[in-house]
């Protein structure tokens, strides 16, 4: 059995990992840690959930601790770029726990919160800076930070950076770092623009590719309800009253929709929080913390806000509406069945969403099971001009079975 110490990880880090209950390196850690310790650039093709944060953070921390260089005023030794605020906070929390036995200064800069505390944190210089691109560029423009002392650069979720329009910002930031640096880039997919970026910023990278722990079709039970738009709300409340729905993420396509759904659930005496990009950073963090601690067992989120979020024990993902992009479906349902657990994903599909469903099924090469309390109640084929009934074999009612278990909440 491979251990962290057999990969060359030093004792204070091994101790911190043991305290996190990381008994054994994950496949990406096994490959990436020795490569990074040896000084190579790294291209990691991996998703959240594979252990990629520790794969880059552990060797990075070890190298920083081993060379006792000072970053200098407003300087940074290792820069980690993340596409979303939530991911940046998550990385910062992981790094804090991995480095608990090391004397390293870290700071996080992200948009949506006050800039002055960030300026103060950067002034003496930091060993590790975790940043979202927009706020970092603001701080660079104001000369509150410089990147001349950067020896290590990590670009996390490069494909998400592209989706969110950050690739130019990344290039600008990278151009401000010294050429003689070690660079690691992670991406779950490889769109052309990311491939070009890789060619420009990595030098002879070691390529480490890990398949997602399991494809969704293997670990996640997936169901679709055909339901008219107006009946979605009642169906949602009905499902959520089932105690088996213990920790649930509900996805909405729009911010407005997320707020509306959360409001309706609260009115129905269900404890729900909304998470979307229109909320302040502190409100987003509060919503996420309530969900994580179980104070609010239901989180209604938009796709962007939910990127990279790692909350364990999500029993169900409900797609209140279907995403336009099939990749987002895969990403959404991946919030359940984390770390090898099983999970259930339920999608609501109204007459106007049949094309999206077809695209998703094509992408997954998998036909999603159809369920419904009674088809008449939840889906009116006569009202659906785009029906394509033959594709779906009638399926046994599944959630109907939980009627006996359903108690008034
Ligand atoms: P990541 O892909 O970095 O977001 O990590 C996904 C989850 O796996 C996080 O909750 C980590 O704390 C956890 N994790 C990472 N590495 C290990 C490991 N070697 N053993 C057990 N859990 C791990």
């Amino acid at each position: 059995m491979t251990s962290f110490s057999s990969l060359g990880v030093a004792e204070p880090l091994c101790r911190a990992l043991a305290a996190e209950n990381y008994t054994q390196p994950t496949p990406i850690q096994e490959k990436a840690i020795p490569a990074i310790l040896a000084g190579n650039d790294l291209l990691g093709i991996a998703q959240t959930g594979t252990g990629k944060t520790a794969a880059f953070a552990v060797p990075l921390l070890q190298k920083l601790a081993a060379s006792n260089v000072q970053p200098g005023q407003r300087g940074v030794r290792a820069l980690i770029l993340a596409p979303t605020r939530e991911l940046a906070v998550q990385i910062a929390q992981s790094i804090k726990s991995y480095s608990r036995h090391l004397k390293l200064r870290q700071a996080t800069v992200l948009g949506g919160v006050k800039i002055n505390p960030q300026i103060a944190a950067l002034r003496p210089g930091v060993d590790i800076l975790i940043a979202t691109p927009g706020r970092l560029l603001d701080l660079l423009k104001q000369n509150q930070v410089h990147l001349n002392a950067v020896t290590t650069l990590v670009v996390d979720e490069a494909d998400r950076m592209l989706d969110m329009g950050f690739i130019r910002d990344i290039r600008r930031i990278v151009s401000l770092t010294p050429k003689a640096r070690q660079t690691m880039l992670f991406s779950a997919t490889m769109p052309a623009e990311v491939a070009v970026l890789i060619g420009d910023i990595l030098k002879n990278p070691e390529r480490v590719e890990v398949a997602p722990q399991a494809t969704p079709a293997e670990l996640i039970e997936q169901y679709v309800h055909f339901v008219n738009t107006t009946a979605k709300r009642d169906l949602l409340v009905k499902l959520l009253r089932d105690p088996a729905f213990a920790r649930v993420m509900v996805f909405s396509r729009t911010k407005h929709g997320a707020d509306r759904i959360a409001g309706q659930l609260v009115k129905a005496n269900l404890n729900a929080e909304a998470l979307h990009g229109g909320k302040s950073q502190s409100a987003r963090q509060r919503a996420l913390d309530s969900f994580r601690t179980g104070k609010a067992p239901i989180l209604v989120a938009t796709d962007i806000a939910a990127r990279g979020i790692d909350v364990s024990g999500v029993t169900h993902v409900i797609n209140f509406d279907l995403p336009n992009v099939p990749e987002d479906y895969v990403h959404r349902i991946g919030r359940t069945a984390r770390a090898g657990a099983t999970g259930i994903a339920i999608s609501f599909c109204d007459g106007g969403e049949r094309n999206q469903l077809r695209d998703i099924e094509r992408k997954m090469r998998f036909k999603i099971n159809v369920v419904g309390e009674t088809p008449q109640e939840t889906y009116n084929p006569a009202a659906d001009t785009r029906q394509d009934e033959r594709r779906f074999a009638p399926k046994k009612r599944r959630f109907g079975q939980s009627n006996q278990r359903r108690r008034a909440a």
Side-chain angles (χ1 to χ4, degrees):
M1 191 172 100
T2 316
S3 64
F4 282 103
S5 70
S6 71
L7 298 178
V9 177
E11 191 278 333
L13 282 156
C14 286
R15 206 160 12 118
L17 295 172
E20 293 288 301
N21 276 329
Y22 293 10
T23 47
Q24 210 188 330
T26 65
I28 192 165
Q29 291 162 3
E30 207 168 298
K31 293 177 196 152
I33 290 174
I36 297 169
L37 286 177
N40 296 329
D41 279 5
L42 187 96
L43 167 61
I45 318 278
Q47 293 181 331
T48 302
T50 52
K52 67 182 164 71
T53 312
F56 70 74
V58 168
L60 176 151
L61 291 168
Q62 178 153 329
K63 295 186 93 177
L64 290 174
S67 68
N68 201 10
V69 181
Q70 294 303 313
Q73 275 228 331
R74 300 196 167 89
V76 174
R77 295 173 68 199
L79 173 63
I80 300 168
L81 296 171
T84 65
R85 304 161 187 181
E86 281 75 15
L87 184 61
V89 169
Q90 211 162 279
I91 294 171
Q93 285 167 345
S94 297
I95 289 194
K96 197 164 172 208
S97 64
Y98 305 153
S99 65
R100 74 179 74 153
H101 304 301
L102 305 173
K103 284 204 180 67
L104 294 171
R105 268 182 76 88
Q106 77 178 73
T108 309
V109 301
L110 30 87
V113 292
K114 286 197 189 115
I115 202 164
N116 285 341
Q118 297 176 358
I119 292 174
L122 290 170
R123 194 167 296 130
V126 294
D127 295 299
I128 307 138
L129 178 63
I130 302 120
T132 53
R135 179 55 65 91
L136 178 59
L137 279 174
D138 279 352
L139 287 158
L140 284 163
K141 270 183 213 136
Q142 296 181 28
N143 290 324
Q144 299 296 350
V145 61
H146 69 79
L147 303 180
N148 308 336
V150 168
T151 56
T152 318
L153 170 70
V154 179
V155 179
D156 201 4
E157 305 214 343
D159 47 354
R160 299 284 163 227
M161 298 276 197
L162 178 71
D163 286 351
M164 296 175 74
F166 286 148
I167 290 287
R168 277 188 56 190
D169 290 352
I170 301 290
R171 286 184 176 278
R172 172 102 194 92
I173 292 166
V174 174
S175 75
L176 298 172
T177 64
K179 284 220 158 55
R181 56 164 201 268
Q182 186 177 20
T183 310
M184 303 154 217
L185 182 143
F186 291 85
S187 195
T189 57
M190 204 44 65
E193 279 172 80
V194 170
V196 172
L197 181 75
I198 288 165
D200 292 346
I201 73 169
L202 297 181
K203 279 193 285 289
N204 302 323
E206 184 122 355
R207 186 186 160 106
V208 174
E209 183 161 358
V210 294
Q213 278 176 339
T215 59
E218 288 168 40
L219 277 179
I220 304 173
E221 290 178 43
Q222 297 170 62
Y223 302 96
V224 59
H225 274 271
F226 289 115
V227 53
N228 293 326
T229 320
T230 47
K232 285 186 174 185
R233 184 179 75 183
D234 289 346
L235 178 60
L236 180 66
V237 170
K238 204 166 180 178
L239 291 175
L240 291 174
R241 290 208 194 283
D242 184 335
F245 287 62
R247 183 170 288 179
V248 187
M249 279 188 85
V250 179
F251 280 95
S252 154
R253 232 175 357 232
T254 64
K255 299 173 198 173
H256 179 65
D259 275 336
R260 198 184 51 229
I261 296 163
Q264 289 165 345
L265 292 176
V266 168
K267 256 195 211 132
N269 278 329
L270 290 159
N271 202 346
E273 291 272 3
L275 180 74
H276 57 69
K279 291 191 145 196
S280 72
Q281 180 55 24
S282 55
R284 285 164 71 165
Q285 202 59 48
R286 243 191 341 267
L288 193 55
D289 288 344
S290 300
F291 184 58
R292 206 169 253 147
T293 58
K295 214 169 102 196
I298 304 161
L299 186 69
V300 188
T302 54
D303 288 291
I304 290 286
R307 291 247 184 272
I309 286 177
D310 180 41
V311 177
S312 59
V314 173
T315 56
H316 295 76
V317 167
I318 298 180
N319 295 311
F320 191 86
D321 34 38
L322 286 174
N324 294 328
V325 186
E327 283 79 8
D328 280 343
Y329 174 86
V330 178
H331 192 80
R332 286 177 178 191
I333 68 169
R335 302 304 98 199
T336 180
R338 316 273 301 163
T342 54
I344 295 174
I346 299 166
S347 299
F348 295 176
C349 177
D350 66 25
E353 293 174 306
R354 301 297 288 270
N355 284 345
Q356 278 128 284
L357 179 65
R358 193 165 311 143
D359 290 346
I360 289 164
E361 291 183 323
R362 233 178 245 146
K363 157 102 188 154
M364 292 195 306
R365 297 161 190 260
F366 175 80
K367 208 179 278 177
I368 303 173
N369 292 330
V370 181
V371 286
E373 294 297 308
T374 59
Q376 293 79 1
E377 179 193 340
T378 53
Y379 173 58
N380 176 5
D384 185 351
T385 50
R386 277 187 276 185
Q387 62 170 306
D388 183 5
E389 279 165 323
R390 273 161 307 163
R391 285 184 328 120
F392 299 106
K395 235 355 234 185
K396 269 179 107 175
R397 289 167 35 178
R398 182 164 193 289
F399 294 103
Q401 291 161 356
S402 55
N403 269 335
Q404 303 93 310
R405 286 192 287 131
R406 190 169 287 138
R407 294 188 284 274

